[in-house]
Amino acid sequence: MKPRQHLTADLPYSKCRTADQAAAAIATSFNTYGITSPGEMAAIIATMAFESGDFKYQKNHFPGRPGQGTRNMQMASYNLKYVQSIPSLASPLAAITGTSGSVDYDNAVLGLVISSDVLDFGSGAWFLASQCSSAVRSGLQSGNQAGFEAYVRNCVQTDPTSDRLVYWKRAIAAL
């Protein structure tokens, strides 16, 4: 599945990656977090492509929530949990001053997880593996639309809009 490709050098805030550039980091994340079913893979890829504007953005700029980002565009509280799950980030995290919930702290934590493509694109697989219920994962493993919609509603905690479904349909067809 290739998200729409854009020439993004002129876009403000862009940290664009093509699907080909993202593929290795995504594959690494699937291996790291034990994502093996095409249904789960499609949900993760579709969510990241949708949330990041076809892999153009790694930080939330619209409306601009502090600390929200990664290609999964997860909230700051999840980015902190993600960083805390990565042993190699323990020292850099300890060096960040302030408290969770403050703009500077949340943005600094985000900076840790967008510092490499492996971490940036790894957030989607981490989120599914560590934050979603076994029922949601089983639904995704079925590879059907109902499973994806349940994932979006119950784990991502938003509505499975027609725009999101377009991304999922492309991803599931490709896998």
Side-chain angles (χ1 to χ4, degrees), residues 27-28 33 44 72 150 156 173:
T28 296
Y33 295 103
I44 292 165
N72 198 39
V156 180

Side-chain angles (χ1 to χ4, degrees), residues 103-174:
V103 171
D104 290 342
Y105 185 88
D106 290 350
N107 284 337
V109 169
L110 176 59
L112 295 177
V113 294
I114 63 173
S115 63
S116 78
D117 282 350
V118 169
L119 295 173
D120 191 13
F121 284 96
S123 67
W126 167 84
F127 184 82
L128 177 62
S130 67
Q131 303 301 306
C132 299
S133 71
S134 59
V136 166
R137 291 196 67 181
S138 292
L140 285 175
Q141 291 164 2
S142 72
N144 64 37
Q145 184 172 323
F148 178 70
E149 289 179 0
Y151 161 73
V152 172
R153 272 193 204 94
N154 301 323
C155 196
V156 180
Q157 299 179 353
T158 193
D159 294 323
T161 63
S162 59
D163 291 344
R164 285 182 184 277
L165 290 172
V166 167
Y167 281 89
W168 175 78
K169 288 175 182 177
R170 286 192 306 212
I172 200 73

Side-chain angles (χ1 to χ4, degrees), residues 8-170:
T8 59
D10 297 335
L11 291 174
Y13 317 117
S14 179
K15 294 292 183 181
C16 189
R17 296 291 184 268
T18 65
D20 291 340
Q21 290 170 318
I26 293 169
T28 296
S29 76
F30 290 164
N31 185 50
T32 299
Y33 295 103
I35 307 298
T36 59
S37 78
E40 289 178 309
M41 292 175 184
I44 292 165
I45 293 167
T47 299
M48 288 192 301
F50 176 81
E51 292 288 347
S52 67
D54 295 317
F55 302 146
K56 287 192 300 274
Y57 303 103
Q58 61 183 174
K59 293 181 183 181
N60 177 291
H61 295 285
F62 314 103
R65 291 183 188 99
Q68 183 182 5
T70 74
R71 301 303 164 147
N72 198 39
M73 215 49 70
Q74 59 195 19
M75 298 299 245
S77 60
Y78 289 113
N79 285 329
L80 179 58
K81 290 179 182 182
Y82 182 38
V83 168
Q84 290 169 334
S85 76
I86 302 168
S88 65
L89 295 179
S91 291
L93 178 60
I96 298 173
T97 58
T99 58
S100 178
S102 71
V103 171
D104 290 342
Y105 185 88
D106 290 350
N107 284 337
V109 169
L110 176 59
L112 295 177
V113 294
I114 63 173
S115 63
S116 78
D117 282 350
V118 169
L119 295 173
D120 191 13
F121 284 96
S123 67
W126 167 84
F127 184 82
L128 177 62
S130 67
Q131 303 301 306
C132 299
S133 71
S134 59
V136 166
R137 291 196 67 181
S138 292
L140 285 175
Q141 291 164 2
S142 72
N144 64 37
Q145 184 172 323
F148 178 70
E149 289 179 0
Y151 161 73
V152 172
R153 272 193 204 94
N154 301 323
C155 196
V156 180
Q157 299 179 353
T158 193
D159 294 323
T161 63
S162 59
D163 291 344
R164 285 182 184 277
L165 290 172
V166 167
Y167 281 89
W168 175 78
K169 288 175 182 177
R170 286 192 306 212

